[in-house]
């Protein structure tokens, strides 16, 4: 980090690197020592050059607050940086705590021989994200999280090129958050998802999915998901349930979606998906190629029972 003139302190006994508040132009890749936690103080701003990546090989705490958020963005508005990646330790998941972060302008990159497909990529961690925004990626994902336990609250994911969030093989609870593509131009031919999950167990409540040209929530590859008290508006497919996945869809608000719920097999190696929902949802616009719909009064309880 010295060549980027970043003000930081290292506690080798506790394996902590503390980055002091300041505005930093980052023109060379940063790779932190394995097993060290990185702490980023309130008000810190990183402006990353074209193709530049920041790779944390341990835990991270981003300590923004309402008056002093942490900002990570590209230095040149026309040139994306690489990725901001966090890879936890293999034996024990590292801690990732993110509060009041404004993040955008990245792409994808290979760092230390690892391909990261989200502008922010997190692997093998216990993740808490609150009061944060992730936008304007040109990569597959605005944020990609794998093999992790995840809590997301009061955050916004918008205008990312592909998926706003991609969760793979993770256990997640998402509340009070927004997933959208809000530009008025540039959508022609572009497929954007809000939340894309594979091999995961997820609860999504009190959130909004809007203006997504492909799917609001894409449920694939043997995932289980509870969806309750959300708003789905102006999406192509509000919810797609695929490839052996089980969706438990409670009461939500549905407005101007082309299809509210679609069910199908995309990859032939998987069995039929299934949907359990409440009887009042019989009025929704379904498109069912494969799978079965079961109506129940205890959707949330039945989801909890399959832990």
């Amino acid at each position: 980090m010295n060549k980027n003139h970043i003000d930081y302190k290292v506690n080798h006994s506790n394996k902590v690197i503390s980055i002091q508040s300041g505005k930093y132009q980052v023109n060379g890749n940063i790779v932190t020592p394995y097993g060290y936690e990185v702490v980023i103080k309130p008000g810190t701003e990183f402006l990353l050059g074209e193709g530049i990546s920041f790779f944390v090989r341990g835990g991270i705490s981003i300590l923004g607050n309402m008056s002093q958020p942490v900002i990570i963005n590209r230095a040149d508005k026309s040139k994306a940086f690489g990725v901001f990646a966090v890879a936890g330790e293999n034996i024990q998941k590292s801690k990732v705590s993110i509060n009041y972060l404004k993040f955008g302008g990245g792409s994808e990159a290979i760092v230390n021989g690892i391909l990261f497909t989200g502008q922010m990529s997190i692997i093998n961690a216990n993740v808490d994200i609150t009061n944060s925004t992730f936008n304007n990626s040109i990569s597959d994902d605005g944020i990609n999280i794998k093999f992790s336990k995840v809590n997301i609250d009061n955050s916004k994911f918008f205008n990312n090129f592909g998926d706003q969030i991609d969760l793979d093989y993770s256990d997640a609870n998402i509340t009070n958050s927004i997933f959208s593509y809000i530009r008025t131009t540039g959508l022609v031919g572009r497929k954007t998802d809000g939340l894309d999950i594979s091999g995961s167990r997820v609860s999504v409540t009190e959130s909004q999915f809007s203006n997504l040209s492909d799917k609001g929530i894409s449920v694939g590859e043997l995932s289980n998901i509870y969806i309750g008290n959300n708003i789905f508006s102006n999406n192509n497919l509000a919810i797609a349930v695929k490839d052996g996945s089980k969706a438990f869809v409670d009461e939500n608000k549905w407005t101007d979606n082309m299809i509210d719920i679609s069910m199908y097999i995309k990859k032939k190696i998987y069995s039929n998906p299934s949907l359990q929902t409440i009887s009042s949802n019989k009025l929704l616009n379904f498109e069912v190629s494969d799978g079965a719909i079961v109506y129940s009064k205890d959707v949330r309880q039945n989801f909890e029972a399959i832990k």
Side-chain angles (χ1 to χ4, degrees), residues 3 11 16 24 27 39 59 71 93 100 104 108 132 141 157 160 168 178 196 200 208 217 264 288 294:
K3 66 181 180 180
N11 185 321
V16 175
Y24 304 109
N27 297 312
V39 176
I71 298 171
K93 294 182 186 298
Y100 282 102
E108 59 184 34
S132 296
D141 311 313
F157 307 84
N160 295 295
D168 298 320
I178 294 174
D196 189 317
S200 296
Q208 300 179 38
I217 300 179
Y264 56 94
V288 180
V294 175

Side-chain angles (χ1 to χ4, degrees), residues 57-231:
R57 297 190 297 169
I60 188 167
S61 294
I62 297 178
L63 305 178
N65 57 52
M66 184 179 292
S67 60
Q68 293 181 297
V70 171
I71 298 171
I72 300 174
N73 214 311
R74 53 193 174 191
D76 185 328
K77 291 184 179 181
S78 65
K79 298 176 180 178
F81 67 85
V83 298
F84 193 103
V86 181
E89 299 180 67
N90 291 328
I91 297 175
Q92 183 175 356
K93 294 182 186 298
S94 295
K95 179 182 177 182
V96 173
S97 179
I98 298 173
N99 191 35
Y100 282 102
L101 170 65
K102 295 183 177 181
F103 186 97
S107 56
E108 59 184 34
I110 297 174
V111 188
N112 277 28
I114 304 172
L115 172 62
F116 297 105
T117 59
Q119 63 170 352
M120 175 172 277
S121 295
I122 301 171
I123 302 173
N124 198 45
N126 291 319
V127 183
D128 284 291
I129 299 173
T130 55
N131 307 311
S132 296
T133 61
F134 298 82
N135 65 295
N136 294 334
S137 76
I138 63 167
S139 56
D140 281 350
D141 311 313
I143 179 169
N144 179 273
I145 304 176
K146 297 178 179 178
F147 306 108
S148 296
K149 186 171 183 179
V150 184
N151 286 297
I152 297 172
D153 181 58
N154 193 37
S155 294
K156 298 179 181 179
F157 307 84
F158 61 95
N159 284 11
N160 295 295
F161 182 83
D163 301 333
Q164 308 308 305
I165 297 184
D166 192 326
L167 294 176
D168 298 320
Y169 310 104
S170 294
D171 189 328
N173 184 51
I174 300 171
T175 57
N176 192 32
S177 293
I178 294 174
F179 304 79
S180 66
Y181 198 101
I182 59 177
R183 291 177 182 145
T184 57
T185 61
L187 276 173
V188 177
R190 182 171 296 178
K191 295 294 186 179
T192 60
D193 289 349
L195 171 64
D196 189 317
I197 70 172
S198 298
S200 296
R201 186 180 189 280
V202 179
S203 173
V204 185
T205 59
E206 309 283 341
S207 296
Q208 300 179 38
F209 298 82
S210 62
N211 302 320
L212 296 155
S213 62
D214 197 0
K215 299 175 284 290
I217 300 179
S218 177
V219 187
E221 299 182 11
L222 302 176
S223 293
N224 296 312
I225 191 168
Y226 173 80
I227 303 169
N229 202 23
N230 303 286
I231 297 173

